[in-house]
Amino acid sequence: MSATTLGQSFDPAGPEHRPDPHPLFHRMREQAPVYRHVSPTGRALWYLTRYADVQRALLDPDIGRQLDRLPDEIAAVHHKWDHDPLAMVRRNMFNLDPPDHTRLRRLMAPAFGPRRVAALERRVHQVVGELVDGMAAAEGEVDLIEALALPLPLLVVAELVGFPAGDRTRLRAWSDDMLRSRDAARVRRAGMEFVAYVDEKLDERRAHPGDDLLSQLVQAEETGERLSHAELVSSVFQLLLAGDETTVNLIGNGVLELLRHPGQLGRLRERPRMIDSMVEEALRFNGPVGHSRPLFAMADVEIGDSVIPRGDIVVPVLLAANRDPAVFPEPDVFDIGRDPNRHLGFGHGIHFCLGAALARLQARAAIGTLVRRFPDMALAVDPAGLRWTPDLFLHGVRRLPLLLRQRPR
């Protein structure tokens, strides 16, 4: 199906669609579910909006992430336009296919296993309590993102990785610059400083190992695992900086949807144990990641009525898949008791988010505490005026001003 089916050629990730992309995705799913868009750089991107197509793309070995799997002449077309200032920290499992992906995931998985996440639960609730106490002490409106959603995952994951709590300010500044700045020089400078910092900490762990992920990676390196310097540094970047954005957006989007749907907020207040299913519905209804990392067709791939040529970019749109009426009855209804809820909010297949359990834990603790502590919590601004992340990949509000009224503890 072509763009003309929808009456015009357009960019599904364009800024005009960012506040509410779902009406567009519904039209695409109905009229052009495999939609070809040519970017200003001349590259063809194929947007997938049906649940079955998105799921298939995330499982298909002929759709991958590594350009070096393509012939040089095809890969060169993409490299020509690849001016990513974060290229130095891209050698992580998020951007790799097997066997390298398998090797890195095996090394890092124990740090995010059920036992480790369960051990972190008390610490997560402690950090949430401290941050919420700070919100309660503020006068007037409070920005949820600045006061809670941003600092929480950075503190928790930094502790898991093995960075001192006193380095939080530096880590936060690097995170902001590397993931939020539009200034390439600023992003590159932050990236170089972060790499130097990680190198310093890795040297410390080689001399004095501890019970943290840095030590685990260093020990794997020393016992003969094939782990390059780039893989070490970029894996830490993925977990500490890139990984925390998912949790930030999950908390922000989840609170926003509760306030937009007061009936559902009332249900959660009456039945606090619904927090688990509420978080799952937030992941489905307006999840923290708009689409998977753009993938590459490693061969000609047939999806629906279209053949995606080898070398073209494939964009599985998670937000669209999660509102596919073929899978979810009344997909535009926010229902915190929805069951079953087979959303793709954390992806699917071998690249399913490694930190999903930790992100869920933090979201449950943060949102549950807010609902309990602030019975009259309300938006301080018109939701139509909220500013969203500038690109579709990371989907969340940049600020969420709230008015709070604390319930006695």
Side-chain angles (χ1 to χ4, degrees), residues 7 20 131 151 163 168 256 270 277 328 343 351 376:
D20 183 10
L131 293 171
F163 291 153
R168 183 183 71 172
L256 174 61
E270 291 173 4
S277 58
F328 303 100
H343 64 79
H351 286 283
D376 298 313

Side-chain angles (χ1 to χ4, degrees), residues 362-381:
Q362 293 176 88
R364 291 195 301 265
I367 297 172
T369 301
L370 287 170
V371 169
R372 176 176 57 83
R373 290 280 299 274
F374 305 114
D376 298 313
M377 177 174 61
L379 285 170
V381 297

Side-chain angles (χ1 to χ4, degrees), residues 107-108 161 198-210 212-229 231-233 236:
L107 288 173
M108 301 176 71
V161 171
V198 173
D199 281 342
E200 176 187 330
K201 298 304 176 186
L202 287 170
D203 286 341
E204 291 177 5
R205 291 307 187 281
R206 290 187 181 100
H208 305 286
D212 53 51
L213 183 58
L214 278 180
S215 299
Q216 188 175 308
L217 293 174
V218 166
Q219 289 165 8
E221 179 188 41
E222 292 175 347
T223 55
E225 287 282 358
R226 294 183 299 107
L227 198 64
S228 70
H229 174 261
E231 288 171 343
L232 267 173
V233 174
V236 174

Side-chain angles (χ1 to χ4, degrees), residues 297-333:
M298 301 299 171
D300 291 351
V301 179
E302 184 175 352
I303 297 182
D305 297 330
S306 301
V307 175
I308 300 176
R310 184 185 194 186
D312 279 7
I313 297 173
V314 182
V315 186
V317 184
L318 306 180
L319 288 176
N322 285 335
R323 293 211 195 179
D324 188 340
V327 178
F328 303 100
E330 298 184 290
D332 292 324
V333 173

